[in-house]
Amino acid sequence: MPLDPYVSDLNSLGLSKAPADTRVVVAMSGGVDSSVVAAMLAEEGYDVVGVTLQLYDHGAALARKGACCAGRDIHDARRVAERMGFPHYVLDYENVFRESVIDEFADSYLAGATPVPCIRCNERVKFRDLLGVARELDADCMATGHYIRRMVGPMGAELHRAADPARDQSYFLFSTTPEQLDYLRFPLGGLGSKAETRALAARFGLPVADKPDSQDICFVPNGNYAAVIEKLRPGAAEPGDIVDREGHVLGRHDGVLRYTVGQRRGLGIGGLDEPLFVVRLDADKRQVVVGPREMLKSRTIALREINWLGDGAFEGEHEVLVRVRSTRQPVPALLRPAEGGAEVTLLSAEEGVAPGQACVFYAPEGTRVLGGGWIARAA
C-alpha cells in the first residue's frame, strides 16, 4: 500500500521516479516515529539518507535522558540506520538551536509570555536548516515522523490534520510554508494510531520499537521551566507582588517566570472569598495579576507573524476553526487581516488565551490546516 493514499504518481511519495532513483533524507530524532519512517522507505527501495541534528550537549544540566536529538537518541538513530542498511549522519546544530530557539524561549518567558519552542524548532531548524541540508545532498524530498498529512489539492500541496486526532501535530507545524510543503513528506500522517507505528517498528526489528515517547520540551528537565531560565539568564527570578485587578497587593512571588496564565495552585494567597487565577503577567512591573475565573475568558485575539496556507492571498474575512492551545479542540471563529498581523474573534469565549502561544487556523469542514499566527494579546 502506498505511504500516502492521496498521491497517484509513479512512487508512493508522489514523485515521477522509481523508488531506487528517489533520494529521501529522513530527519531522525532517535525516536520510534522517525525510525519507522526511515525503515518503511528503505524497505520500499528508496535511496534513504538518515540525518540527526545534535541540538544540545547531553552532558549539560539542561539536557535530560529520554529527550530527542542528544546522547542516547543519536545512538539509537545510528542503530536503526545500521539495521536497515542506509547511511546516517549527525550534524552539530547546538549553536543554531540555542540562538534560534532556546534564547527566544528564555526571553519570551521573562517577558511574561508562554512560548512554544517546539514550533520554533520546526520552523527555524528542522524545516529551514535541515531542509537546506537535504537539498545539498541532492535529495528529491525530506521525510519526517510527524503525525500530519500532506495532500495535493487543486492549488498544490496542502497541510491536513493526521488521521488519528489523538496524535495530530498540526498545532506545532502551522508555520510550514507552501514552498516547504512542496518538498516535505509525512508518511505517518495516515496511520490510525501510535499502536500501528509500534507494530511496524517491531516488524522491522527496530531497537527502538518499545522506546517511550518524549514528553516535555527536550531541553527542559522534568518540565521545570524556571530552573532552565535561571540557568540561562542568571538573576532573572526577581521577586515582586501578586496583585488583584485593581492593583491591591495580595502577596509576594519569587519570580514572574514561575507562573503561567490560568494557574490556580501555588499562589500562596489563601483565605479569600473566591478562588483566584493568574490572569496576566506584567514582567515590567514584576507583577502577577490574579482574578476570578471569568477574567480568563477572551473573545478577541490579536496575532502576529501570520503564515497563510489557504488558497489565494490572505485577505477579507474568513470563517474558520481555531486552536489556541495544543491541548484544546478547534472552535469556531472569524479571522481577518489586521495591522501587524490578524485578528480572531471567537464565537464563544475561551479561557487562558496566553501571549506567546500559537493560534492555528483550520477549515470549517474537513481536515485542512489554513495556517496560524502567534498570540500577541487577548481581550
Side-chain angles (χ1 to χ4, degrees):
M1 183 182 74
L3 297 178
D4 187 343
Y6 301 95
V7 298
S8 57
D9 290 310
L10 181 62
N11 68 40
S12 61
L13 295 177
L15 298 167
S16 299
K17 291 184 176 183
D21 299 323
T22 306
R23 175 167 292 177
V24 185
V25 163
V26 178
M28 300 183 68
S29 67
V32 63
D33 298 325
S34 57
S35 296
V36 165
V37 167
M40 291 169 71
L41 295 172
E43 185 187 61
E44 281 202 43
Y46 287 96
D47 178 11
V48 173
V49 178
V51 177
T52 300
L53 301 181
Q54 179 176 319
L55 299 182
Y56 56 85
D57 178 8
H58 191 59
L62 293 180
R64 69 176 181 83
K65 293 182 179 179
C68 69
C69 305
R72 179 71 189 181
D73 304 286
I74 293 174
H75 175 68
D76 288 341
R78 184 177 292 116
R79 291 169 66 203
V80 169
E82 291 173 353
R83 165 75 182 172
M84 299 304 299
F86 58 80
H88 174 256
Y89 301 98
V90 179
L91 305 180
D92 183 357
Y93 268 58
E94 185 174 345
N95 289 337
V96 172
F97 184 66
R98 180 168 184 132
E99 293 169 2
S100 300
V101 179
I102 296 181
D103 284 346
E104 183 185 88
F105 168 82
D107 293 338
S108 296
Y109 231 98
L110 289 176
T114 308
V116 191
C118 296
I119 298 176
R120 288 303 198 194
C121 182
N122 289 323
E123 174 188 324
R124 296 177 174 177
V125 182
K126 294 176 182 176
F127 289 177
R128 184 187 67 187
D129 296 337
L130 180 53
L131 193 145
V133 170
R135 293 187 187 278
E136 290 175 2
L137 292 172
D138 293 325
D140 296 285
C141 63
M142 187 175 89
T144 80
H146 290 104
Y147 287 85
I148 197 165
R149 288 180 290 177
R150 173 191 182 275
M151 300 183 186
V152 179
M155 303 292 287
E158 300 174 353
L159 202 61
H160 286 253
R161 283 184 274 178
D164 178 8
R167 303 298 302 179
D168 175 56
Q169 292 178 294
S170 58
Y171 183 85
F172 300 99
L173 297 172
F174 82 84
S175 60
T176 306
T177 67
E179 294 75 19
Q180 291 167 343
L181 269 183
D182 286 339
Y183 195 68
L184 289 164
R185 300 294 186 274
F186 309 105
L188 300 185
L191 296 187
S193 69
K194 183 60 176 273
E196 290 185 46
T197 306
R198 292 198 180 277
L200 285 169
R203 180 169 73 80
F204 292 130
L206 302 184
V208 296
D210 297 320
K211 186 174 182 177
D213 291 342
S214 57
Q215 298 295 327
D216 300 317
I217 296 170
C218 63
F219 58 89
V220 179
N222 304 314
N224 191 342
Y225 296 74
V228 170
I229 294 168
E230 286 184 276
K231 183 177 180 65
L232 293 168
R233 301 289 186 270
E238 297 182 5
D241 293 326
I242 299 175
V243 301
D244 64 14
R245 65 186 116 179
E246 284 83 27
H248 301 131
V249 176
L250 303 179
R252 294 282 291 174
H253 65 77
D254 55 358
V256 170
L257 60 86
R258 302 182 189 279
Y259 298 83
T260 59
V261 172
Q263 179 178 335
R264 177 185 175 187
R265 299 182 183 277
L267 300 180
I269 50 173
L272 301 174
D273 294 334
E274 61 180 342
L276 297 179
F277 300 78
V278 176
V279 297
R280 186 165 56 87
L281 299 171
D282 191 327
D284 292 336
K285 296 181 179 179
R286 300 202 302 274
Q287 289 181 339
V288 174
V289 183
V290 298
R293 185 164 191 161
E294 55 264 28
M295 286 188 67
L296 287 172
K297 295 182 179 180
S298 302
R299 287 287 300 273
T300 304
I301 307 171
L303 305 178
R304 57 183 174 82
E305 295 183 51
I306 304 302
N307 183 54
W308 178 246
L309 293 174
D311 295 334
F314 177 47
E315 56 189 14
E317 187 173 85
H318 301 264
E319 293 183 3
V320 296
L321 300 177
V322 300
R323 178 179 282 166
V324 296
R325 292 260 185 170
S326 63
T327 54
R328 302 276 180 88
Q329 291 299 313
V331 296
L334 295 177
L335 168 69
R336 64 187 67 84
E339 184 177 355
E343 182 180 88
V344 166
T345 302
L346 302 169
L347 272 60
S348 298
E350 284 275 297
E351 290 186 0
V353 180
Q357 293 282 300
C359 178
V360 181
F361 320 141
Y362 301 90
E365 297 179 357
T367 59
R368 188 173 180 186
V369 183
L370 297 177
W374 294 95
I375 298 173
R377 59 187 180 278

